[in-house]
């Protein structure tokens, strides 16, 4: 079975380079009409030009595909909404939203300015929410949509010097967890990607050999699958990189219940090894499931 996106309109944010470019090229090669969004700034989000988005649009058109450039920033609600407006004005609708735009301002937390923290959170977390919010009424009304948010192993597992980036990248998972419950009855499915790729953000940290193995295009098949009609999964986290694909899941230990009286600090201290024991685990798909287990109902 060949997966295609004929008559589907996709928005890919941050699509001028790296992962976003690879996602846009693959979706367009399979028939999607693509809004290539990129303000053209540096890795830290400063500056901007039209060249990055224009180049990708030219690549898509040269290969016989259909695309339009958009240069708005996801970091402000009005400009993020204009990305969706570009899709509607040019192609009449939107079916797919790939939230990929990102910046880095890495520093240890004690050396990080509040401005650098805020801006990274605005791009990665609020930018994801802003673009998705603008597209959501369209997807809901047509009872079809596929949304991908981009998380990171820096948020899921942690990385030194990335408290702003890691915090924002795990925040989009919480956003997805809640939104999947609102979207699933309207066939609007949302998943999170945790990519491992060699991009402008990581090239200074990797050897040329490692960068070659972590070609961004090796991640894009997972993104394209999550954007397809064939995908019926929602609310999950997916790792992808170097030809490797895996699902990531939160699990909870069975824990210890102190029954019949008020628990004390000493109860926690005396049982901490049992409380922390993850040799057997439980998966919860909603917060109410976990609450029910906690209260013993």
């Amino acid at each position: 079975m060949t997966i295609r996106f004929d008559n589907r309109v996709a928005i890919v944010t941050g699509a001028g380079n790296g992962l976003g470019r690879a996602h846009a090229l693959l979706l367009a090669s399979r028939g999607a009409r693509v809004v290539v969004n990129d303000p053209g700034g540096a890795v830290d989000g400063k500056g901007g030009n039209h060249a990055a988005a224009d180049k990708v649009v030219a690549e898509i058109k040269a290969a016989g595909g259909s695309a339009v450039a958009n240069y708005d920033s996801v970091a402000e609600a009005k400009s993020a909404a204009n990305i969706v407006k570009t899709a509607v004005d040019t192609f009449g609708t939107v079916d797919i939203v790939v939230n990929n735009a990102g910046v880095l301002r890495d520093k240890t937390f004690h050396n990080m300015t509040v401005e650098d923290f805020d801006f990274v959170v605005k791009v990665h977390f609020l930018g994801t929410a802003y673009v998705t919010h603008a597209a959501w009424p369209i997807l809901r009304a047509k009872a079809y949509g596929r949304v991908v948010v981009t998380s990171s192993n820096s948020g899921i597992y942690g990385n030194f010097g990335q408290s702003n980036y890691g915090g924002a990248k795990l925040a989009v998972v919480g956003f997805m967890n809640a939104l999947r419950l609102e979207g699933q009855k309207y066939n609007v499915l949302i998943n999170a990607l945790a990519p491992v790729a060699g991009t402008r953000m990581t090239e200074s940290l990797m050897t040329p050999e490692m960068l070659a193995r972590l070609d961004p295009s090796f991640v894009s098949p997972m993104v394209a699958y999550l954007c397809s009609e064939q995908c019926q999964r929602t609310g999950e986290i997916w790792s992808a990189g170097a030809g490797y694909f895996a699902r990531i899941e939160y699990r909870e230990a069975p824990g210890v219940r102190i029954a019949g009286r008020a628990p004390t600090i000493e109860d926690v201290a005396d049982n901490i090894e049992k409380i922390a024991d993850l040799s057997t685990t439980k998966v919860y798909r909603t917060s109410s499931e976990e609450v029910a287990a906690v209260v013993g109902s």
Side-chain angles (χ1 to χ4, degrees):
M1 176 182 64
T2 300
I3 293 177
R4 292 194 57 82
F5 299 90
D6 301 301
N7 301 315
R8 296 297 186 192
V9 176
I11 292 169
V12 183
T13 66
N17 293 281
L19 285 164
R21 171 182 171 272
H23 303 340
L25 290 174
L26 180 56
L27 289 169
S29 74
R30 295 295 185 97
R33 293 169 288 171
V34 182
V35 176
V36 177
N37 160 260
D38 203 304
V43 171
D44 64 2
K46 296 177 181 178
N49 63 71
H50 293 181
D54 287 346
K55 184 178 179 181
V56 177
V57 168
E59 286 184 81
I60 290 172
K61 289 183 174 180
S66 178
V68 63
N70 173 279
Y71 317 109
D72 287 286
S73 169
V74 302
E76 301 296 334
K78 288 185 178 179
S79 59
N82 197 53
I83 301 170
V84 177
K85 184 176 185 295
T86 298
V88 174
D89 288 351
T90 307
F91 301 123
T93 190
V94 61
D95 302 284
I96 295 162
V97 178
V98 179
N99 292 289
N100 170 78
V103 296
L104 283 183
R105 294 187 180 182
D106 291 356
K107 285 184 180 178
T108 54
F109 191 54
H110 75 280
N111 286 323
M112 186 179 296
T113 66
V114 171
E115 179 188 7
D116 284 343
F117 196 98
D118 285 352
F119 185 68
V120 169
V121 171
K122 285 189 75 173
V123 171
H124 287 278
F125 177 43
L126 293 180
T128 293
Y130 292 153
V131 176
T132 305
H133 186 265
W136 197 256
I138 301 169
L139 306 179
R140 194 173 181 273
K142 69 195 299 182
Y144 182 86
R146 298 292 184 267
V147 178
V148 174
V149 303
T150 303
S151 184
S152 170
N153 56 17
S154 294
I156 295 167
Y157 301 116
N159 197 31
F160 186 90
Q162 289 194 318
S163 57
N164 50 2
Y165 178 79
K169 285 305 193 183
L170 199 54
V172 301
V173 174
F175 173 73
M176 173 202 72
N177 286 337
L179 206 56
R180 73 168 175 90
L181 299 171
E182 298 182 29
Q184 57 190 5
K185 74 175 182 178
Y186 297 99
N187 193 28
V188 181
L189 310 183
I190 178 169
N191 285 279
L193 174 77
V196 182
T199 68
R200 291 193 305 166
M201 290 187 179
T202 58
E203 63 185 1
S204 64
L205 307 174
M206 297 180 180
T207 65
E209 294 77 17
M210 184 65 74
L211 288 170
R213 290 183 63 191
L214 294 175
D215 188 318
S217 68
F218 293 176
V219 173
S220 297
M222 174 59 79
V223 174
Y225 170 74
L226 296 174
C227 292
S228 70
E229 294 180 43
Q230 287 81 358
C231 176
Q232 295 298 308
R233 308 185 74 106
T234 190
E236 296 176 322
I237 311 167
W238 303 93
S239 175
Y244 168 87
F245 304 96
R247 184 161 68 95
I248 298 171
E249 188 170 63
Y250 294 126
R251 292 181 172 269
E252 186 166 326
V256 172
R257 183 180 302 283
I258 307 300
R261 60 178 174 82
T264 66
I265 303 171
E266 289 73 24
D267 287 328
V268 175
D270 291 344
N271 290 282
I272 194 63
E273 294 303 322
K274 290 182 180 179
I275 292 168
D277 183 6
L278 287 165
S279 58
T280 60
T281 57
K282 174 74 175 176
V283 177
Y284 299 107
R285 289 292 287 156
T286 67
S287 60
S288 59
E289 286 182 13
E290 199 259 358
V291 169
V294 168
V295 299
S297 61

